[in-house]
Amino acid sequence: MKKLVLSLVAVAAFGYAANAQEKEKGAYNFEQGNIIVEGAFTISDKTTKPEGSGDEIKTTNFNFNPKAAYFLNDKFAVGVELGFGKEQEEGVSVHYNTTYAGAFARYYFLELGKRFKTYGEVGLGYKESKERNVAIAEKQTGIKAGVTVGMNYFVTPKLAIGFNLGDIFAYENYNVKEGDTKTKNVSETNAKINVFNNFFDTAKFSLTYKF
């Protein structure tokens, strides 16, 4: 809750200051027929301590997520997206490479001043993850679905910075193989209905260009 309050206060203060100082320079809005291209790059670190072990394990994730979408009206857009990622444990040569391809729908539901646009997004696609640098590699293939809340801040009438405020629901169903042998099927569901990211300490940013 503290992170949510700090994020919202910062957004409101930044939006008020920006709008108080700016002169009208163009339409900071989306319209029917607009096309956007977007690219997000994420770097995150997490530290875990396996049960029964005194050692902490640090894992680093790199992800690049390009998107393109078409606006059916001034608030609703549909599009396609790709994802490329790598997961690496500190001090371990083995890592996972991940690819993703899917579709999404985005709805802009709230404006904070002229430049801030808040949206909800639903996505569904195919995800594949492969273990590298190991004799018998593990491979995971399946579907991924999710609901996110985000925000765009228009730097210019055509260029916006994106902030991921929260991944509020995620679902994955995938098969696990070692070599050519299927070992198990896994379903994972994660819901964070009232938990939002503080974008000052969570590196989930993007750039969006409007045509």
Side-chain angles (χ1 to χ4, degrees):
M1 179 62 68
K2 184 178 179 181
K3 286 186 176 183
L4 172 60
V5 172
L6 289 173
S7 293
L8 292 179
V9 169
V11 167
F14 185 34
Y16 176 80
N19 288 312
Q21 296 175 7
E22 73 180 7
K23 295 180 179 179
E24 188 66 38
K25 295 181 181 180
Y28 301 106
N29 293 299
F30 297 110
E31 299 177 352
Q32 181 180 359
N34 281 158
I35 296 174
I36 60 171
V37 291
E38 186 172 281
F41 183 71
T42 305
I43 301 176
S44 63
D45 292 321
K46 64 179 180 180
T47 301
T48 58
K49 189 173 182 179
E51 186 176 349
S53 173
D55 298 326
E56 292 185 338
I57 298 175
K58 181 180 179 181
T59 303
T60 302
N61 286 278
F62 303 88
N63 292 283
F64 175 61
N65 182 212
K67 297 182 177 182
Y70 175 82
F71 277 80
L72 301 178
N73 54 44
D74 61 351
K75 294 184 180 296
F76 185 68
V78 292
V80 293
E81 61 179 319
L82 299 174
F84 308 93
K86 178 180 178 180
E87 181 177 304
Q88 176 82 53
E89 285 186 14
E90 187 176 39
V92 179
S93 60
V94 178
H95 62 268
Y96 279 91
N97 284 354
T98 300
T99 56
Y100 172 82
F104 68 94
R106 180 182 293 183
Y107 181 75
Y108 286 85
F109 61 89
L110 178 64
E111 293 188 6
L112 300 175
K114 295 178 182 178
R115 300 194 183 215
F116 280 103
K117 316 294 180 183
T118 307
Y119 63 83
E121 183 175 299
V122 178
L124 175 66
Y126 173 82
K127 179 181 177 182
E128 180 177 287
S129 181
K130 294 181 180 180
E131 196 174 22
R132 298 296 187 184
N133 299 334
V134 64
I136 302 178
E138 181 180 283
K139 181 179 179 180
Q140 302 175 3
T141 56
I143 61 170
K144 176 183 178 181
V147 179
T148 63
V149 176
M151 178 181 292
N152 288 128
Y153 172 73
F154 276 89
V155 180
T156 73
K158 289 187 175 294
L159 181 66
I161 301 172
F163 307 94
N164 183 316
L165 298 179
D167 300 315
I168 62 176
F169 177 80
Y171 170 78
E172 290 190 42
N173 183 281
Y174 55 90
N175 293 318
V176 180
K177 289 185 177 181
E178 292 182 357
D180 295 326
T181 304
K182 179 180 175 180
T183 59
K184 58 184 175 180
N185 177 267
V186 179
S187 292
E188 295 181 356
T189 302
N190 188 13
K192 300 179 181 179
I193 303 301
N194 290 317
V195 179
F196 287 82
N197 296 328
N198 178 355
F199 51 73
F200 292 108
D201 64 11
T202 303
K204 292 189 176 182
F205 303 103
S206 62
L207 286 178
T208 302
Y209 188 82
K210 178 184 73 175
F211 292 92

